[in-house]
Amino acid sequence: MRLLIVGTLGGQLTTATKIAMERGASVTHAPGVSQAMKVLRSGQGADLLMVDVNEDIGQLVELTERERIHVPLVACGLGTDARAAVSAIRAGAKEYIPLPPDPELIAAVLAAVTEEREDLIYRDAAMASVIKLAEQVAPSDASVLITGESGSGKEVISRFLHSKSSRADKPFISINCAAIPEHLLESELFGHEKGAFTGAVARRIGKFEEADGGTLMLDEISEMDVRLQAKLLRAIQERVIDRVGGSRPVPVDIRIIATSNRDLGEEVRNGTFREDLLYRLNVVNLKLPALRERPADILELASHFIEIYAKANGTKALPISQEGRQLLLANPWKGNVRELENTMHRAVLLSTGVEIDAASIRMPDGSPITMGAGQQTAARAAYAAEAVSRDMVGRTVADVERDLILDTLDHCLGNRTHAAKILGISIRTLRNKLNLYTKEGVEVAGPGDVRAGSAEA
């Protein structure tokens, strides 16, 4: 977490600085707007600006927007001056923090910037296998290509890789190649010298230099023009970059993570992506399954988002009703995790009872999400499977195995031979297990009988 504090406020921001550093933030100080812009252009970067309300916040917002520097800004002022707070918000600040600073408030602001980026929530085996591979390759400097549908969590996995790497204490810088016009992307990546083109009012350090020592994530790299791909390939191979308008190469030490929601092999065949660049990027491929392909994650993520948005709106985090859970499990989630997050945010706002029920789970326009007969059947089956899985959490394998064997034996009315066939084990193994359970004082059904209190009794 990189925090840039702008202004002085009679020393009160010094106290805020100490609190932020105690919470793990890396803090840089700039006495005014012009110095803050120099810091941002220099490549030191920031994840959050905390600005003295007496500074020209409107000018700072205008300058960062003009130079395409995207960073959230909060204003700070002495006391609870409502007029100053309103003026700061109108000028472009996201929040107003009264000073002297409350340590918990500072912590909450820092958490709001970093929390959603770093959370990794999963339960499904399909996602667990991806995470296991990510953990294996994270300590290396190998380039990683993360593929998957939009909204499936590619940036979250990228940040996870960085956090588990030897570069974790260095910057993690991301750039969306699809969001920046083609003629500006080169400058964003490699930086530029003053006067290199119209609007280049000062030297600007690009994302490669800003990420030096850390990780650079190239989001939706398939959208990059093939001509710029050649310069990117050279930067990755030789570990040097050339600023636009520059006269000498600049060495960089970074780890590259690229993401794409397209099949880059197909893009190579179509001539829109360089094959040699694909080989450089695709040392390891992490293919994220769509949310509909990892159903065990749906309710876990839904509960996670309820916690986040209940806290943000000052309400109690409510449980999801059985009908609501079935509805969530039946939805195809074409927008993946991003769509689920927005849906649960709405549900928190719309819920009026003691649970988040199906009526609260709605489309963006407020219309209800409906299920066909086939979806209802699938939802009930998924809910039952999820309930069984949930009941097993916290139990040992031996306990689960014992219950499975005894329940199967009850189902077979104590017939050892039939039970062994259903369980896929030998009759000898079954008898050994049953003898062990009997010695432990566990009731075992005899031939033609079931245990008292069992489901079959």
Side-chain angles (χ1 to χ4, degrees):
M1 173 65 184
R2 299 169 301 165
L3 176 64
L4 174 58
I5 292 182
V6 184
T8 58
L9 274 176
Q12 290 294 342
L13 281 176
T14 302
T15 304
T17 299
K18 292 179 180 178
I19 294 171
M21 292 179 70
E22 288 171 357
R23 303 285 175 162
S26 171
V27 181
T28 304
H29 181 260
V33 171
S34 60
Q35 294 89 341
M37 289 305 299
K38 288 180 180 179
V39 170
L40 294 173
R41 293 179 187 127
S42 71
Q44 294 182 53
D47 297 309
L48 177 67
L49 302 182
M50 191 175 289
V51 185
D52 182 339
V53 75
N54 296 316
E55 296 291 331
D56 192 337
I57 292 176
Q59 181 191 23
L60 182 56
V61 170
E62 181 184 351
L63 288 171
T64 54
E65 289 180 350
R66 182 189 305 168
E67 299 192 31
R68 303 175 306 281
I69 299 173
H70 306 290
V71 56
L73 182 153
V74 296
C76 301
L78 296 173
T80 54
D81 187 335
R83 182 174 297 178
V86 171
S87 298
I89 297 297
R90 285 177 175 172
K94 301 296 183 184
E95 188 58 80
Y96 179 84
I97 300 176
L99 300 176
D102 178 353
E104 294 306 316
L105 181 57
I106 297 292
V109 171
L110 297 180
V113 175
T114 60
E115 182 177 21
E116 290 182 29
R117 296 178 179 179
E118 297 178 353
D119 285 322
L120 187 60
I121 307 296
Y122 68 96
R123 276 186 59 186
D124 198 283
M127 193 64 178
S129 63
V130 176
I131 302 303
K132 182 178 179 181
L133 179 57
E135 289 176 332
Q136 287 179 293
V137 303
S140 73
D141 278 342
S143 298
V144 178
L145 176 63
I146 304 175
T147 55
E149 295 180 7
S150 294
S152 57
K154 296 188 290 294
E155 181 169 353
V156 174
I157 295 297
S158 298
R159 291 182 178 276
F160 175 77
L161 284 167
H162 175 71
S163 70
K164 298 295 183 181
S165 74
S166 59
R167 300 171 179 265
D169 59 340
K170 301 297 182 181
F172 174 91
I173 305 298
S174 66
I175 181 169
N176 189 328
C177 300
I180 300 173
E182 177 186 328
H183 64 286
L184 296 176
L185 184 55
E186 181 179 6
S187 170
E188 287 292 311
L189 285 171
F190 304 111
H192 60 253
E193 297 291 347
K194 181 178 180 180
F197 51 83
T198 303
V201 296
R203 170 188 281 183
R204 167 84 181 277
I205 297 303
K207 300 301 184 185
F208 265 84
E209 287 182 82
E210 190 176 340
D212 190 40
T215 303
L216 175 63
M217 187 189 84
L218 302 172
D219 195 17
E220 303 303 350
I221 194 170
S222 55
E223 303 301 317
M224 183 182 293
D225 183 79
V226 70
R227 290 169 295 184
L228 184 55
Q229 291 173 26
K231 188 169 183 178
L232 174 61
L233 178 63
R234 175 178 178 266
I236 296 173
Q237 288 181 157
E238 301 181 17
R239 301 293 176 179
V240 296
I241 57 104
D242 296 306
R243 298 192 195 111
V244 178
S247 58
R248 61 182 180 82
V250 179
V252 289
D253 171 26
I254 59 172
R255 194 237 190 115
I256 296 287
I257 298 175
T259 78
S260 178
N261 59 9
R262 296 187 184 183
D263 181 344
L264 291 185
E266 184 65 27
E267 298 298 310
V268 169
R269 289 187 287 274
N270 293 336
T272 57
F273 202 84
R274 292 179 64 108
E275 187 174 26
D276 48 4
L277 177 57
L278 176 58
Y279 288 145
R280 278 287 175 181
L281 296 172
N282 198 24
V283 177
V284 178
N285 179 210
L286 297 178
K287 186 175 182 180
L288 296 190
L291 185 57
R292 61 185 172 276
E293 296 169 353
R294 43 184 167 119
D297 287 349
I298 293 173
L299 298 182
E300 194 79 6
L301 285 165
S303 297
H304 170 68
F305 293 134
I306 289 171
E307 291 282 349
I308 290 176
Y309 290 110
K311 183 177 180 180
N313 289 279
T315 61
K316 182 181 178 181
L318 301 175
I320 308 171
S321 70
Q322 180 175 338
E323 292 77 13
R325 295 163 79 90
Q326 290 179 355
L327 186 60
L328 292 174
L329 289 168
N331 196 296
W333 300 115
K334 295 180 180 179
N336 290 296
V337 179
R338 190 178 295 126
E339 181 187 0
L340 175 63
E341 179 178 1
N342 292 338
T343 299
M344 299 322 296
H345 190 175
R346 281 194 300 276
V348 167
L349 299 175
L350 297 175
S351 181
T352 57
V354 296
E355 290 182 312
I356 291 182
D357 56 18
S360 304
I361 301 171
R362 294 177 171 268
M363 302 290 285
D365 62 1
S367 61
I369 297 175
T370 57
M371 288 190 292
Q375 287 179 308
Q376 290 175 356
T377 301
R380 284 193 290 270
Y383 178 77
E386 192 273 339
V388 170
S389 174
R390 188 171 62 252
D391 289 342
M392 290 182 180
V393 174
R395 302 181 64 199
T396 66
V397 173
D399 286 344
V400 174
E401 179 189 59
R402 182 192 62 212
D403 288 351
L404 177 61
I405 289 174
L406 295 177
D407 288 345
T408 303
L409 189 63
D410 288 333
H411 176 73
C412 297
L413 299 178
N415 189 309
R416 271 66 172 161
T417 303
H418 289 170
K421 286 181 178 179
I422 291 173
L423 292 166
I425 59 178
S426 69
I427 186 67
R428 181 177 180 179
T429 299
L430 176 59
R431 285 172 176 160
N432 289 338
K433 294 283 186 182
L434 296 178
N435 288 337
L436 175 62
Y437 301 153
T438 301
K439 290 178 181 178
E440 292 175 348
V442 177
E443 182 185 0
V444 175
D449 197 6
V450 294
R451 293 171 296 150
S454 74
E456 301 291 337

